[in-house]
Amino acid sequence: KQDVKLFFTHSLPVSLSAGQMTDLIYTEKELVQSLREYIKAEESKLAAVKSWANKLDDLTRVSTSDPEGYLGHPVNAYKLMKRLNTEWTELESLVLQNPSDGFISNMSTHRQYFPDEEDATGAAKALMRLQDTYQLDSEAFARGKLPGVHSDALLSVDDCYDMGKTAYNEADYYHAVLWMQQALKQLDAGEEAVVSKADILDYLSYSVYQMGDLPRAIELTRRLVAIDSSHQRAGGNLRYFEKLLFKQLNEMNQAYEPPSEEPIQLGTYSRPKDHLPERETYEALCRGEGLKMNEARRRRLFCRYQDGQMNPRLLLKPIKEEDEWDSPHIVRYMNILSDEEIGKIKELAKPRVLSESVCSYAVYILLQHVLVLLLFSAWLEAEDDPVIARVNQRIEDITGLTVDTAELLQVANYGVGGQYEPHYDFSRKDEPDAFKRLGTGNRVATFLNYMSDVEAGGATVFPDFGAAIWPRKGTAVFWYNLFKSGEGDYRTRHAACPVLVGSKWVSNKWIHERGQEFRRPCGLTEVD
């Protein structure tokens, strides 16, 4: 039988025997079969592309109907990042098997806007941060069972595997174990996957070893060897783990005990400590635990009408004011922003992503070594729109403090897992030049507007005295960062908890010292 290429490239002799002609018939039959296989491959590819298109059509129909609400669910946000970073690239490779100029042109045009590997890793880390803060096991995310929310935003075996691999590549073996275990659990339950059980066990067994659980690492590695006896690392790892375990048992004069048959879950291993000393307190407050509000303190909290000390703009329509905490005094103002004003502020803020002022703010955050995850942040001036001027005036009327020396109105939208770890709004003595270029002194007070409700998470918490303030659209909270003496009130160290479900919009006004000399005069002691 001739090679297909030879059949098309070589001339045939004029006279052929019947045998040779018969061979050509069978050669033609082979060519037809080859052609059928080619058509089948093309149809299979087209069917795969159609399947992608249908699936993505359904996804985009849901996501574009309410983009903010869709991205408010952390699993949806993570899977969007993963799709654009990985799965669309796989689709591109499929189409490139027989290049489609229109598709490739579109891909090239839009690729510049796609999330990169760092973005996809960040989205995975955000899910892990939510998992830690709200003490959720991996199955809660994989099955869409978040507190107060149940959705069809699910994570597949391959999604869980990718989460675990992201943690593993960051040497975060604690989370690698949790997510590889979840991938294994779903695979064992019969869910289809691209990743093999051997690959999952390979990562899981080594991560368990890194967590110091040698008996379970040995048991998992034995499972891996049973599946793939020729695995390049499994045999060596198994011998090393066994040798290490028996050495430890001999040194401690203990007998071998088989590993627990309980599945690995949240709480099986201790989460490693990190840089934040009040991590546990902060996260407990985010969950609504450890609050130090008691009946004695509650009796010291009141609500009142605030007219800004007879301010003419508030006399006929005073502001409703509620105490959130007694000392330091934190108050909440009701109905501060209307829906129309909130809409206008968002409209003005969205085009200003990554402005020069945002970058300078990021530098200040970096100086404090604070982890911040914002979808975007923007600064608005009174000249931008009458609404901004009106909001600034309202803040001045309510607080009695001049906003002439205040910073611009900052607008922020927290993304998936968006948070702002514990920090001070004022500059401390080891940061004497933080606001030097402004020439307006330190941040004397903070006025924080909540511009959205949040379905779950997103509280403002104060770890020092155990307070948690939950977002309520249209309200604002206010507190002083400095005592009347100008000394910093270190009790006001606070944090924005990660958004678990929903989208958190805030705007804040940082009011500075200059111009407040007669509006808030010094007290008789350092801590007045």
Side-chain angles (χ1 to χ4, degrees):
K1 296 178 181 178
Q2 296 174 314
D3 182 84
V4 173
K5 291 182 179 178
L6 291 177
F7 177 78
F8 283 109
T9 57
H10 285 253
S11 59
L12 293 174
V14 175
S15 177
L16 290 173
S17 66
Q20 288 174 318
M21 292 296 291
T22 303
D23 288 342
L24 289 178
I25 290 174
Y26 285 105
T27 298
E28 186 176 39
K29 183 178 180 180
E30 280 191 38
L31 289 174
V32 172
Q33 180 62 31
S34 176
L35 180 62
R36 291 291 182 191
E37 290 173 357
Y38 166 73
I39 293 171
K40 184 178 179 181
E42 284 286 353
E43 288 176 341
S44 176
K45 183 181 76 173
L46 185 59
V49 173
K50 284 182 177 178
S51 176
W52 267 91
N54 292 335
K55 181 181 75 171
L56 293 169
D57 190 43
D58 292 337
L59 277 170
T60 53
R61 188 181 300 111
V62 173
S63 62
T64 55
S65 66
D66 180 15
E68 190 168 301
Y70 180 83
L71 292 174
H73 196 293
V75 168
N76 286 334
Y78 164 69
K79 295 194 76 168
L80 174 65
M81 289 288 196
K82 183 170 178 285
R83 278 200 305 278
L84 290 176
N85 177 59
T86 304
E87 296 176 9
W88 274 97
T89 302
E90 293 171 0
L91 180 58
E92 180 184 18
S93 299
L94 177 64
V95 174
L96 274 172
Q97 292 173 10
N98 185 20
S100 170
D101 294 339
F103 174 76
I104 300 306
S105 175
N106 268 335
M107 284 290 294
S108 301
T109 301
H110 294 292
R111 181 176 293 281
Q112 59 182 314
Y113 303 112
F114 282 9
D116 57 20
E117 189 66 29
E118 185 177 352
D119 295 323
T121 298
K125 287 181 176 180
L127 283 191
M128 296 173 204
R129 183 161 49 250
L130 292 173
Q131 183 176 25
D132 293 339
T133 303
Y134 299 105
Q135 294 187 343
L136 302 169
D137 60 28
S138 301
E139 186 164 12
F141 279 106
R143 298 303 175 214
K145 298 175 182 177
L146 301 183
V149 178
H150 186 80
S151 76
D152 56 359
L154 308 178
L155 291 173
S156 66
V157 171
D158 295 301
D159 291 330
C160 294
Y161 171 79
D162 288 339
M163 288 284 293
K165 195 172 179 181
T166 296
Y168 182 92
N169 290 338
E170 297 284 323
D172 178 4
Y173 301 109
Y174 171 78
H175 289 107
V177 167
L178 293 176
W179 286 100
M180 288 298 175
Q181 174 65 33
Q182 183 61 30
L184 183 62
K185 181 178 180 180
Q186 291 179 211
L187 193 65
D188 285 342
E191 186 177 319
E192 293 185 0
V194 174
V195 66
S196 69
K197 182 179 288 190
D199 285 338
I200 296 173
L201 285 169
D202 186 20
Y203 281 100
L204 179 57
S205 58
Y206 189 78
S207 298
V208 166
Y209 156 70
Q210 287 287 349
M211 294 305 295
D213 190 348
L214 274 172
R216 200 187 295 259
I218 290 170
E219 185 266 334
L220 289 166
T221 308
R222 284 173 178 166
R223 287 180 63 183
L224 173 56
V225 171
I227 293 173
D228 184 1
S229 59
S230 62
H231 193 281
Q232 60 179 355
R233 289 181 301 277
N237 283 352
L238 181 57
R239 290 188 293 274
Y240 175 73
F241 295 160
E242 289 175 337
K243 181 179 178 181
L244 192 60
L245 175 62
F246 287 111
K247 179 183 177 183
Q248 291 179 1
L249 292 175
N250 287 334
E251 290 174 352
M252 295 183 291
N253 196 26
Q254 293 180 350
Y256 172 76
E257 293 184 6
S260 169
E261 295 184 3
E262 289 292 318
I264 299 171
Q265 56 190 351
L266 198 68
T268 299
Y269 303 120
S270 298
R271 180 173 150 210
K273 301 291 184 183
D274 68 1
H275 67 283
L276 198 62
E278 68 263 66
R279 169 73 64 190
E280 291 183 7
T281 303
Y282 153 55
E283 293 183 348
L285 289 171
C286 291
R287 296 190 298 271
E289 302 169 6
L291 300 175
K292 295 181 181 178
M293 178 62 71
N294 52 43
E295 284 306 312
R297 170 165 281 119
R298 202 182 305 277
R299 284 195 293 269
R300 295 196 292 270
L301 305 181
F302 300 94
C303 57
R304 63 192 69 83
Y305 282 103
Q306 168 66 269
D307 63 8
Q309 297 181 347
M310 303 292 287
N311 185 292
R313 277 180 287 269
L314 298 179
L315 279 176
L316 295 179
K317 191 178 180 182
I319 299 295
K320 296 176 182 177
E321 179 184 282
E322 295 181 358
D323 292 333
E324 287 280 354
W325 205 260
D326 57 338
S327 181
H329 194 205
I330 304 174
V331 298
R332 187 194 294 264
Y333 298 112
M334 315 303 290
N335 304 318
I336 289 298
L337 297 177
S338 67
D339 288 347
E340 291 75 17
E341 289 171 329
I342 289 172
K344 174 55 72 172
I345 292 171
K346 288 182 180 180
E347 178 188 326
L348 294 169
K350 285 178 180 177
R352 303 188 179 212
V353 182
L354 298 180
S355 66
E356 182 178 350
S357 53
V358 171
C359 295
S360 65
Y361 176 57
V363 171
Y364 173 67
I365 292 171
L366 186 60
L367 288 174
Q368 294 199 38
H369 304 287
V370 173
L371 175 63
V372 182
L373 180 66
L374 297 178
L375 185 58
F376 65 78
S377 177
W379 300 77
L380 302 180
E381 302 182 55
E383 292 76 15
D384 290 332
D385 193 273
V387 166
I388 307 304
R390 188 161 68 242
V391 169
N392 287 344
Q393 184 64 58
R394 190 176 301 149
I395 293 172
E396 179 168 316
D397 293 343
I398 293 169
T399 63
L401 301 173
T402 181
V403 296
D404 290 344
T405 56
E407 295 174 49
L408 303 181
L409 187 71
Q410 188 207 30
V411 183
N413 178 214
Y414 289 81
V416 54
Q419 68 170 4
Y420 193 158
E421 286 189 343
H423 63 283
Y424 303 100
D425 279 353
F426 63 90
S427 66
R428 292 156 291 159
K429 292 180 179 179
D430 58 349
E431 302 167 330
D433 299 329
F435 304 115
K436 185 176 181 180
R437 67 181 182 84
L438 298 179
T440 53
N442 211 340
R443 288 173 173 169
V444 67
T446 296
F447 196 99
L448 175 63
N449 297 301
Y450 293 117
M451 302 199 302
S452 66
D453 294 313
V454 179
E455 291 178 62
T460 304
V461 298
F462 295 78
D464 187 77
F465 49 89
I469 300 173
W470 304 94
R472 285 156 59 187
K473 184 179 180 181
T475 69
V477 292
F478 173 78
W479 67 86
Y480 283 103
N481 298 305
L482 307 180
F483 293 110
K484 290 183 178 181
S485 63
E487 291 295 317
D489 187 344
Y490 284 79
R491 298 173 299 172
T492 61
R493 183 172 168 86
H494 60 285
C497 296
V499 175
L500 179 57
V501 181
S503 177
K504 181 183 177 183
W505 283 86
V506 297
S507 59
N508 59 272
K509 196 77 171 173
W510 281 307
I511 302 171
H512 282 245
E513 291 179 286
R514 297 293 177 264
Q516 319 302 348
E517 293 82 359
F518 298 105
R519 294 174 183 246
R520 192 186 186 231
C522 289
L524 297 177
T525 70
E526 191 176 280
V527 293
D528 280 353

